[in-house]
Amino acid sequence: MVTHQVEIERKYDVSGTKKPKLKLHKLEHFTVGDPVEHEMSATYYDTADLLLSRAKVAVRRRTGGGDDGWHVKYEAGRARGELHHEPLKTAPTRLPAALRKVLLGLTLGEELSPVATVDTHRTLHPVLSEGQQYAELCLDAVTARDERAGVTRAWTECEVELTRDDLTEKQSRAVFEAVEKVLFAAGAAPSSSVAKIARALGQDGGDTVRVVSPADAPGNDAAGSGAADTASDTSGTGAAADAGDGRGTPEGADPKGSTSKGTKKDKGKKKHKGAAAAGPGQDRNPSAPKTPKKSTDHAGRSAAQDRESEGERDGNAPVAGKDRGPAREKPAERTGADVLSLMITRLTDQLQRWDFAVRIGAEDSVHQMRVRSRALRSVLQASRGFLADETVVDMEQRLKDLARVLGDARDQEVALERLDVLLEGQPSGVLSAAAKADLKEAARHLGTDTGRAVRRELDSAPYLQLLRDLRALGRGEGFTEETARVSAKKFSKAVLGAALNRVLVTATTTLPAAGEDVELSQMAADVGERISLPGKDPRQTAAAFDVLHETRKAAKSARYVCEALTAAHARPGKKRTRAAVVAKDYQDDLGVITDAAVMEEWLARAARSFQRTGKDRYAVGVLHGMELTELRNGMLESAEILEDLVEDLKDALPSRD
């Protein structure tokens, strides 16, 4: 059986090899119970490419302590937590099928193998107040072996974890502050580690981690006195390699390794201004002034360096290649292929992370996964000409099918949210408590059905193959030769320009003449049947709805493309970026109308359901009438909204490059 637990904890580093002397009797407002000793061992598992680590998920099999079994630690959206599963009686070292299924969207069926073994001697102190336990203070002496690199590391750390979920924010803060005061007095400091697994793999730790063996491992000094462990992930796919884009916090921890506010930076360590401004993993602004290199102490320079400088000052520059080292190569200019590859890879990573969040039922996960599927489709649509035609057509359709399944579930979420607002807005006594309860129950029932459909889709072979194909596309498979020839700047202008042009074309679509046959979506056809607009027949009304609905989707696509380019550090130009912001502003206005259509359709279905079951349809009728009015008023304003959108977009876009 899988159980879920949300963690609230803070971690602290302890320097040196000796156990710190904690004066726990000085804990203010709390007492400490008798300590309990535990010997624990945890084996961490991942794929060959550390796909779980990159997704901020850690899988371990722990023995010893009070939570023996399988753990999946994660960060999903704003939530951090753990999934627990008892070991299988017949095969305790085999990952249970329930957890394997939860991880399927991340691992894509790849085998998990041990990447690190972490042995911990834990001293656990219960933190008490008035006879009740509020938290646990754990002092851990850790020895960890990187199974891939064959390196063993050791360190000491403390962890404070709340053990009650009913504490107020003020009570929680009081616990942490009281314990921290004692820890800081003993020389502890807020942890710099994202997780034990990261330190085990040499991805963080600084001077708090000692390399135990082998003696010649990176970070071990000649005397073996515990120099800083600076070993990095040699595969380039772990947390250290991915720090620039927010990936690779293996146990779902935030970058500071705790839920507390940020820790103070080390004093006296100055950073290069350019690097600090750009941030990790970002391109430094090329227009920013270069910071001159600091002069080197003359005593630290070689005689050859002095002679070289003197010769240059005298105008007698040395012959290239004779006295100088090899000339530094100018970094190659980024191409469209570089940008497109990064855009697709990042969005696919995010899609897979939200897949995991959907599987564990995290809040807002269906919506966020749908957004990523649409963003990927938007990037492919805008990149026509830079991708093989058959690739675009195939991928677009498969992403559209995925978005449709997610969209049905999302529409039910929107309906439930909007239903709550509508019910709360009714005057007292208009709707009975029983009628309100029936409506909410109907919404929950439909949501359950669409949720099952989503889970079936995520477990399907075609969906998993889609993820594999997206990863291959992110590696450049399916790119045209032009993509590698064009510069990153020209590529960025082209794809965002294409996305914005689609908004203009869609918004100016001519409505059909009266009686003219035209292809319509089912939602639009329903709108045409239920409301009437002056001077328009039902098919023209439906076509008008399709235009505004498609325009809204085009505006969203432009926003997604602009955001993907920005995340890839590409520059499509200030005016195009501004135009994308304009499109986003109108997206919200159009969304009010489409949300009303979604709610109106849901209420119509609820009315049919209530009729079959004999339930009171009065409440449904009242709310349905309100939504029909909202929808009709929005449709009456839609033509003016689209005209303003087109005018503002044309004003924002550059007249020429």
Side-chain angles (χ1 to χ4, degrees), residues 52-111:
L52 296 179
S53 173
R54 292 172 59 174
K56 303 182 180 181
V57 172
V59 175
R60 72 187 179 198
R61 167 71 173 94
R62 173 178 279 178
T63 57
D67 54 358
D68 183 275
W70 288 92
H71 304 168
V72 177
K73 304 192 74 174
Y74 65 84
E75 179 179 339
R78 297 178 180 177
R80 291 176 53 201
E82 283 189 35
L83 299 176
H84 291 181
H85 198 292
E86 295 180 358
L88 300 174
K89 293 180 180 179
T90 55
T93 60
R94 189 173 76 225
L95 184 68
L99 293 182
R100 192 181 300 275
K101 194 172 184 178
V102 167
L103 300 168
L104 188 57
L106 297 174
T107 65
L108 302 181
E110 290 188 29
E111 287 298 318

Side-chain angles (χ1 to χ4, degrees), residues 402-417:
L402 172 62
R404 184 182 298 112
V405 176
L406 296 170
D408 289 343
R410 176 57 184 164
D411 286 347
Q412 295 308 314
E413 291 179 349
V414 170
L416 185 56
E417 292 167 3

Side-chain angles (χ1 to χ4, degrees), residues 139-384:
L139 180 60
D140 292 344
V142 185
T143 303
R145 178 173 175 79
D146 183 339
E147 301 292 354
R148 299 186 310 163
V151 176
T152 300
R153 302 177 172 92
W155 66 92
T156 302
E157 65 182 33
C158 290
E159 181 179 297
V160 182
E161 182 174 354
L162 302 179
T163 55
R164 289 177 53 179
D165 56 9
D166 60 343
L167 297 182
T168 65
E169 183 178 348
K170 183 177 181 180
Q171 289 173 321
S172 300
R173 188 167 59 250
V175 175
F176 286 128
E177 290 177 352
V179 176
E180 279 184 348
K181 189 173 182 180
V182 172
L183 292 177
F184 291 164
S191 178
S192 62
S193 174
V194 295
K196 285 185 174 69
I197 179 61
R199 286 186 167 176
L201 297 179
Q203 294 168 353
D204 71 9
D207 58 5
T208 63
V209 177
R210 309 181 305 281
V211 173
V212 178
S213 68
D216 58 348
N220 232 6
D221 60 9
S225 60
D229 174 17
T230 57
S232 63
D233 175 25
T234 56
S235 70
T237 57
D242 293 323
D245 62 11
R247 296 182 295 183
T249 45
E251 290 194 6
D254 63 83
K256 297 176 181 61
S258 73
T259 56
S260 62
K261 295 181 179 180
T263 58
K264 295 182 179 180
K265 296 181 180 178
D266 292 340
K267 295 181 179 180
K269 295 183 179 180
K270 295 182 180 179
K271 292 186 177 181
H272 188 285
K273 290 184 179 179
Q282 298 183 9
D283 293 335
R284 187 178 183 275
N285 184 357
S287 64
K290 294 183 179 179
T291 305
K293 294 181 179 179
K294 294 181 180 179
S295 59
T296 306
D297 183 13
H298 186 78
R301 293 167 55 90
S302 67
Q305 286 175 311
D306 286 337
R307 285 196 300 270
E308 182 179 352
S309 296
E310 289 170 3
E312 288 177 320
R313 285 196 297 271
D314 293 337
N316 301 320
V319 179
K322 185 175 181 181
D323 295 322
R324 289 180 178 272
R328 291 183 180 178
E329 294 184 8
K330 184 179 180 180
E333 182 181 356
R334 288 207 306 167
T335 67
D338 296 326
V339 176
L340 183 56
S341 177
L342 185 53
M343 292 166 74
I344 294 173
T345 298
R346 290 175 67 94
L347 286 171
T348 303
D349 284 346
Q350 292 171 11
L351 183 71
Q352 290 182 265
R353 292 179 199 173
W354 284 111
D355 166 298
F356 172 81
V358 169
R359 291 173 190 266
I360 65 172
E363 184 181 358
D364 199 36
S365 55
V366 171
H367 171 56
Q368 294 298 335
M369 187 176 179
R370 184 193 189 195
V371 166
R372 270 57 183 193
S373 69
R374 284 186 162 182
L376 277 162
R377 188 171 164 222
S378 299
V379 168
L380 297 184
Q381 286 176 329
S383 301
R384 288 181 179 274

Side-chain angles (χ1 to χ4, degrees), residues 534-548:
K536 291 185 174 63
D537 64 21
R539 295 192 70 80
Q540 288 175 310
T541 299
F545 179 82
D546 262 346
V547 169
L548 74 87

